[in-house]
Structures are given as structure tokens and as C-alpha cells.
Amino acid sequence: MGFVSEFKEFISKGNVLDLAVGVIIGGAFGKIVTSLTDDILMPVLTLLTGGLDFKEWYLALDGNTYNSLKAAQDAKAATINYGLFLNAVITFLLMAFAIFWIVKLANRFKKPQEVVVTEPGPTKDQALLMEIRDALRNRA
């Protein structure tokens, strides 16, 4: 089998296409959740916390004080940006929560799979005991 036909077979498998669609939709969904966090929730949290902006929470490792994170970065100071990390955690939690509800909703619309219950046959010991029982009945 040639390289091209092998590649064609690989790419036409359903799970590869499903994965590609999932990655593309996941990326778009991530942008929506990031926008929800940055553009809607964080301003509300900033208002509720009296003007605190998580994005500006940082620690400059050089010991100097800067007016903003951008000023510290422009001065080439090493910073620990724990506010941006907090934003990323909030974004992750929102995305996980949204995906949880989407999966929960999708599972409602799925047809339940029919479960076929088959009773297991008797074990070897049980079969032997039944044979002994039947032999004793026939003897009497």
C-alpha cells in the first residue's frame, strides 16, 4: 500500500475526523469562555471587589514597585503574574462547568441503550449437583 493511500485511509477514519471537529469547536468554545470571563465576569468582579483588577495582581521579583504589570514588563522585570493565573483558573472552571452542562444536556437527548440481560448458566459445581439430584430422583 502506497503512502498516499495509507494516509487517505488514516484520514478518512471516523475517529480522526471527530477529533478534528472536536478540536476546532473546542478552540472556538474556549474563545467564547475567555471572552465571557475577561469581558463580562471580571469587570463585575472588579466592581464587586471595589475596583480590584485581577490582571494587575503581580509580584515584581526585582524588588521595585511599578504602576502596572505593563510597566514592570516594559522595564524587563521578572514578575510572578498570579492575577493572570487566577484569570486562567476562573476561565478553566467556567469552561469545565459549561462543558459539564452541555454533556448533561446531550445525554438527555441520547436514546438509552437497550440492555439485554442474559442470565449466566450454572457453574460447574451447580451443574454437577443438578446431575446428582436428577440421578437420585430417577433411582427412587
Side-chain angles (χ1 to χ4, degrees):
M1 184 180 286
F3 176 77
V4 174
S5 54
E6 232 181 295
F7 180 71
K8 205 178 196 184
E9 181 183 335
F10 167 77
I11 203 71
S12 66
K13 288 184 181 175
N15 52 1
V16 173
L17 296 175
D18 291 343
L19 178 63
V21 169
V23 167
I24 291 168
I25 289 177
F29 186 72
K31 288 179 183 179
I32 291 170
V33 173
T34 300
S35 176
L36 172 69
T37 304
D38 293 344
D39 302 330
I40 295 173
L41 292 178
M42 286 306 172
V44 171
L45 283 174
T46 300
L47 182 67
L48 292 176
T49 58
L52 292 176
D53 186 5
F54 295 138
K55 291 179 185 174
E56 289 298 319
W57 290 5
Y58 68 95
L59 176 64
L61 297 178
D62 64 359
N64 294 331
T65 304
Y66 299 95
N67 292 333
S68 68
L69 176 60
K70 181 161 178 15
Q73 289 172 339
D74 289 345
K76 304 280 190 228
T79 58
I80 295 176
N81 306 321
Y82 58 90
L84 293 174
F85 176 74
L86 186 60
N87 273 357
V89 169
I90 291 170
T91 300
F92 169 77
L93 291 173
L94 286 171
M95 189 175 293
F97 186 72
I99 289 172
F100 167 77
W101 281 105
I102 289 170
V103 169
K104 189 172 174 107
L105 183 66
N107 285 339
R108 269 194 195 159
F109 293 110
K110 269 188 183 177
K111 282 197 266 180
Q113 292 181 346
E114 292 182 26
V115 178
V116 179
V117 179
T118 58
E119 292 190 29
T123 63
K124 290 180 182 181
D125 294 342
Q126 291 171 338
L128 182 60
L129 288 171
M130 287 189 289
E131 286 178 27
I132 294 170
R133 180 197 63 201
D134 294 341
L136 289 173
R137 277 191 191 155
N138 292 338
R139 234 167 136 197

